[in-house]
Amino acid sequence: MYVEGFVTAVPKANKQIYSEHAKKFAELLKKTGATRVVECWQSDVPHGKTTDFFGAVKAKEDEEIIFSWVEYPSKEIRDKADKFMMEDPEMKEMGKNMPFDGSRMIYGGFESIIDS
């Protein structure tokens, strides 16, 4: 299994809009080979002394943290999905109207080493 993870800050006022945006994004990802898409909204995210989620994405006072991940059968399938998403007109249109500042998103791909 291959996992791509995301953390970003979303304005509190955009929670419903973000949820709708994420649902459309998840549908696109499933078409490209993702087996699972999970979107989580901040519930119990503490501020740290050295670092934390808020600092990692430079969250503003009126923003909350989202944590999400996408599961793929393999990195190869994720790579094909990423290529498709970069070329897909629907995805390009969604990118123009994101309900958050995508420049502060952190993300990365991870190979599973334990899955229990």
Side-chain angles (χ1 to χ4, degrees):
M1 173 176 52
Y2 194 80
V3 177
E4 195 163 32
F6 306 86
V7 177
T8 198
V10 179
K12 294 173 191 176
N14 287 357
K15 186 174 183 178
Q16 183 61 38
I17 296 167
Y18 178 81
S19 181
E20 293 166 10
H21 180 87
K23 190 179 288 187
K24 289 178 186 176
F25 187 59
E27 290 170 6
L28 285 171
L29 290 170
K30 295 287 260 199
K31 289 179 184 177
T32 65
T35 56
R36 184 175 183 212
V37 180
V38 179
E39 290 283 346
C40 304
W41 191 271
Q42 174 182 332
S43 172
D44 185 16
V45 181
H47 287 273
K49 292 180 181 176
T50 304
T51 190
D52 59 21
F53 282 106
F54 301 98
V57 296
K58 297 184 179 175
K60 297 175 183 172
E61 191 67 31
D62 68 332
E63 295 178 322
E64 293 192 332
I65 303 301
I66 65 95
F67 175 73
S68 60
W69 69 91
V70 181
E71 296 177 9
Y72 295 94
S74 68
K75 183 179 184 306
E76 292 75 27
I77 291 174
R78 192 289 308 253
D79 290 347
K80 287 180 185 176
D82 277 2
K83 184 177 182 332
F84 172 82
M85 299 298 271
M86 294 308 237
E87 298 170 356
D88 181 65
E90 188 175 359
M91 182 60 204
K92 286 181 182 176
E93 191 61 34
M94 283 181 67
K96 294 177 185 176
N97 300 306
M98 294 192 306
F100 61 95
D101 179 358
S103 72
R104 293 183 284 133
M105 179 190 310
I106 58 172
Y107 63 94
F110 302 84
E111 292 182 8
S112 176
I113 60 170
I114 296 175
D115 186 357
S116 65

